[in-house]
Amino acid sequence: MAARTLLVTGFLLLQLTYGGVRAAEAGPLPSGTAASAGTAILVLPFENSSPGPKLEWIGEGLAELGIERLRGEGRMVYPRETWQAALEKLGLPNSRHFSRATMIKIAEETDADAVVFGHYDCEGKALRISAQILRLDVPGSDGIEGPALSPVFEESGDLAEMMDIHARLAWKLLRFRDSSFIAAKQEFVQRQTRWRLDAFEQYIRALTAAPGTLDDAQRLRLYREAAHLEPAWPEPLFALGQAYFQRKDCATALIWFSKVAPENERGFESGFLAGVCHLWRNDPARAEAAFAALSERFPLAETLNNLGIARAQLGKLREAIEPLRGATRMDPEEPNYWFNLGLALLSLSEKPEGPGPDGGKQVSGRNLGAPPNQPQLVPVAFPVRGERESAAAAVRVFRELLLRRPEDSEGHLLLLAALERSGRTIELEAERENFPEGGTPPKITLDDLNRRYRVMARLPLAPLLTAALLAGNAAGGQTNEANGDARSRQIELLTSRGREQLAQGHLDQAEHSFARAARKSPGSPEAHRGLAEIYERRGKLDDAIRELRASLWSREDSATRVALAKLYLQRKRPADAVSELRAALQADPGSAEARQMLRSIESRSGKGDAQ
């Protein structure tokens, strides 16, 4: 794939160098094509064309305004961190001056379909701004997509009117980019929020300051000044909350996060980080409320994981199992989700035997992982039933964890505890000998189990973009149907093309098509199944398993479960194959293939239940 990316980049560079970039002067592409509202856009800082380094912050400010306003019209626009990370990965210097070749490299790295860039010239109080769109998704006469450069769009006026100047320019870009955009210019300009220019400058200076030019106190002062001048503007409010969150000053961070409205595009991330703060502050009740609300709006593995932790710490262990299990299903390759699920199941397996100190309950048991001749009362504060079944389930879960992270000594320790609790003494002694720390495992009690849960403190980029897009649709009065239809058509085109390329044996091309579809729609089962087939043909079974699991995130499918079981058998993991086949039969009781495979595995194992 990397070799193909280099070839594609080289081809595009040749097109640029020798006049291959088509001037897109015929106007916008028809709605629903690759240039529609369902494509991914990068907005780069605008270059200063003024003589001398005057008002350098304006270039970054125009880019941030572009991101905000395009998102407000329901477009999927990457944040500035995306192109910065791409530059770092490509080994290119961070700059406000980008050549066309660099723009294409960044777009290829981020899988963007278009790049918005431009220049500004400020002389005295006169401001002139120009912008262009570099599109990478324009089909040529041969059907092959390639880059095309739009005409130059320009607007000018007094510096104090920068917000309106930019709004007029954004309207021109939207009109050119998408023929379905029919808002009148004046109507569009009037509905844009006009932040005070002095507040905007303070925020941009704090956000974009080069490393070493501002210390933390100076940056916070600029953010506070922006928030003071524009109390309703969510960006400086969130930036302040995030800055204190990074310091783990949760008391202050929560004040700023609470000022960001949930429906704002920063609202989802603010709510998530506030929930993490509640967990860090040992306030699981507020954490449960925060993550339950987020999971209702937009369920993610991270929110489900943290919701399960909050419930477990409240003693709601049975209610905690469902979201924790959901996290492992949504992202099965993240070891921490398996650890937390196993920990909850292990806690659930301890049987209370009467009142303990401080009104709690006690269980007659052992120090977990200690020799069996050392009885001790271990306090727990929750009622449980079916302890053997929970312990056996915990064993399976901790084994899943150690498959993914063999060096996890804490997970290994808890596996020993689960084996002991489930009465599997032969396996327990064998695991004791393999304990990575050597010798007798350290003693643990249930007192500290709640402190062992692993909180997810960050959200990945993709869901944040989706949350921002949904917020932008609501704020801009846009309907999701138009963008959803455009995106669906684009995903269908990419997956159909991938299938054709796969049938012709062009694995590199097919992988590129399916990967683009998966990035644009992370929940697309067809894209993930296509990638799984490619990886299986190449012998990359673990990658194929990951993609098939990803395809199940948004759609339960018996055939996919059977395909997963076959891969697990190739990896010599019959217990996992059995689990998938049983899930396949639950989804489709009439699946003859799943039933036949299950009988075959069980007959070979000599028992009716594979462990």
Side-chain angles (χ1 to χ4, degrees):
M1 185 64 185
R4 186 183 184 331
T5 302
L6 288 173
L7 286 172
V8 171
T9 303
F11 172 71
L12 294 173
L13 291 174
L14 283 173
Q15 284 190 307
L16 282 177
T17 305
Y18 295 104
V21 178
R22 299 184 297 280
E25 295 175 352
L29 295 180
S31 177
T33 66
S36 69
T39 55
I41 304 170
L42 274 175
V43 183
L44 297 178
F46 282 38
E47 188 173 339
N48 185 3
S49 299
S50 308
K54 293 183 179 180
L55 303 173
E56 284 290 336
W57 66 269
I58 291 179
E60 294 273 12
L62 293 172
E64 287 299 306
L65 272 180
I67 293 170
E68 178 182 311
R69 286 169 169 175
L70 292 176
R71 278 184 182 169
E73 297 301 316
R75 297 338 186 241
M76 192 181 87
V77 190
Y78 292 136
R80 67 190 302 272
E81 293 83 3
T82 304
W83 61 260
Q84 288 179 320
L87 282 179
E88 184 176 351
K89 187 174 180 180
L90 292 167
L92 298 172
N94 196 343
S95 169
R96 293 185 177 93
H97 312 289
F98 300 100
S99 67
R100 303 292 187 274
T102 299
M103 291 180 193
I104 289 181
K105 285 183 180 180
I106 296 172
E108 285 289 316
E109 181 62 36
T110 59
D111 204 41
D113 300 300
V115 179
V116 175
F117 67 99
H119 298 77
Y120 69 96
D121 187 350
C122 189
E123 285 293 331
K125 294 184 178 181
L127 176 66
R128 185 175 69 253
I129 310 172
S130 61
Q132 286 181 275
I133 303 173
L134 177 63
R135 302 186 294 183
L136 279 81
D137 56 354
V138 181
S141 58
D142 54 2
I144 298 176
E145 292 179 352
L149 197 58
S150 76
V152 176
F153 300 101
E154 188 173 298
E155 285 290 334
S156 60
D158 192 276
L159 175 60
E161 300 171 352
M162 188 178 81
M163 294 288 164
D164 282 348
I165 297 171
H166 180 275
R168 295 195 297 269
L169 189 64
W171 179 83
K172 290 182 177 180
L173 294 175
L174 284 163
R175 288 278 289 180
F176 176 80
R177 178 76 184 150
D178 181 10
S179 61
S180 66
F181 180 76
I182 58 174
K185 180 191 289 187
Q186 193 59 29
E187 173 200 344
F188 175 81
V189 172
Q190 285 300 317
R191 71 171 179 238
Q192 302 307 308
T193 307
R194 296 164 178 80
W195 308 119
R196 284 182 52 159
L197 199 58
D198 51 355
F200 188 69
E201 178 181 354
Q202 302 302 315
Y203 170 73
I204 294 299
R205 287 188 184 280
L207 178 71
T208 64
T213 59
L214 289 180
D215 59 29
D216 285 348
Q218 291 171 318
R219 193 183 299 272
L220 287 173
R221 180 181 58 78
L222 290 173
Y223 281 141
R224 283 197 208 94
E225 182 66 16
H228 172 72
L229 293 169
E230 280 287 7
W233 189 15
E235 292 297 339
L237 302 176
F238 175 78
L240 282 163
Q242 190 177 46
Y244 285 108
F245 177 86
Q246 291 168 351
R247 293 179 169 191
K248 294 202 172 179
D249 180 356
C250 281
T252 309
L254 286 169
I255 294 172
W256 294 106
F257 287 143
S258 69
K259 297 175 183 291
V260 181
E263 64 274 9
N264 181 265
E265 67 177 60
R266 288 293 193 180
F268 191 90
E269 191 173 4
S270 293
F272 180 85
L273 296 179
V276 173
C277 275
H278 292 315
L279 286 176
W280 285 349
R281 300 183 79 201
N282 195 27
D283 190 351
R286 284 191 173 90
E288 181 190 24
F291 290 118
L294 293 173
S295 297
E296 282 289 324
R297 288 174 56 196
F298 193 31
L300 300 171
E302 292 80 5
T303 58
L304 292 174
N305 174 78
N306 292 356
L307 173 60
I309 292 173
R311 288 177 175 172
Q313 292 182 344
L314 286 168
K316 302 177 180 179
L317 281 172
R318 292 193 180 279
E319 293 179 51
I321 298 300
E322 181 182 354
L324 290 173
R325 197 183 300 279
T328 66
R329 287 172 178 163
M330 294 187 77
D331 188 359
E333 298 311 311
E334 172 51 61
N336 290 333
Y337 298 150
W338 294 101
F339 178 92
N340 290 334
L341 176 58
L343 188 56
L345 289 166
L346 179 59
S347 301
L348 191 62
S349 74
E350 293 301 320
K351 183 178 180 180
E353 291 188 352
D358 303 322
K361 296 184 178 181
Q362 292 181 339
V363 349
S364 176
R366 304 182 178 89
N367 287 325
L368 303 182
N373 60 351
Q374 295 183 7
Q376 178 179 327
L377 291 179
V378 184
V380 291
F382 35 78
V384 291
R385 296 180 182 84
E387 58 272 11
R388 282 292 180 94
E389 292 83 354
S390 295
V395 169
R396 292 193 292 273
V397 169
F398 285 125
R399 291 199 188 281
E400 288 282 350
L401 161 68
L402 294 171
L403 280 172
R404 292 160 174 80
R405 187 184 285 163
E407 72 281 4
D408 195 321
S409 59
E410 190 177 26
H412 203 124
L413 168 63
L414 294 173
L415 171 61
L416 296 178
L419 287 167
E420 181 182 13
R421 187 69 192 142
S422 59
R424 295 156 76 163
T425 54
I426 296 176
E427 290 180 68
L428 174 61
E429 292 307 316
E431 288 292 343
R432 281 185 190 279
E433 295 178 5
N434 296 326
F435 188 66
E437 300 297 328
T440 303
K443 301 174 183 179
I444 60 170
T445 68
L446 287 182
D447 264 341
D448 72 344
L449 284 184
N450 277 348
R451 293 192 294 271
R452 292 173 178 266
Y453 283 103
R454 297 173 180 177
V455 177
M456 303 304 285
R458 293 182 61 186
L459 284 171
L461 174 62
L464 292 178
L465 285 174
T466 304
L469 179 62
L470 293 174
N473 283 336
Q478 298 288 318
T479 60
N480 289 331
E481 287 78 10
N483 292 335
D485 289 347
R487 183 170 295 278
S488 296
R489 286 192 293 270
Q490 191 175 20
I491 301 307
E492 184 179 351
L493 174 65
L494 287 168
T495 53
S496 174
R497 181 185 302 164
R499 283 289 165 198
E500 292 176 4
Q501 292 162 337
L502 191 58
Q504 296 167 2
H506 303 315
L507 299 190
D508 285 344
Q509 295 176 13
E511 182 180 3
H512 180 69
S513 297
F514 286 129
R516 285 194 68 195
R519 289 191 188 103
K520 293 176 185 299
S521 178
S524 168
E526 294 80 7
H528 290 295
R529 284 199 294 265
L531 287 170
E533 186 173 342
I534 291 168
Y535 292 141
E536 184 179 5
R537 289 192 190 187
R538 289 173 168 167
K540 298 180 178 180
L541 299 185
D542 288 339
D543 289 338
I545 288 170
R546 183 193 69 234
E547 294 298 335
L548 285 180
R549 281 200 173 279
S551 77
L552 293 168
W553 293 352
S554 59
R555 183 187 304 169
E556 179 61 49
D557 182 70
S558 177
T560 302
R561 295 281 185 187
V562 171
L564 258 175
K566 292 176 180 177
L567 290 173
Y568 279 132
L569 288 177
Q570 291 185 61
R571 295 283 285 111
K572 303 190 186 304
R573 292 166 59 178
D576 291 319
V578 167
S579 176
E580 294 301 331
L581 291 170
R582 287 177 176 163
L585 288 170
Q586 188 174 6
D588 179 13
S591 174
E593 186 178 13
R595 195 170 300 280
Q596 183 178 356
M597 284 181 64
L598 184 60
R599 286 174 180 167
S600 175
I601 296 171
E602 291 176 342
S603 65
R604 288 199 301 271
S605 67
K607 53 186 176 182
D609 183 23
Q611 293 293 327

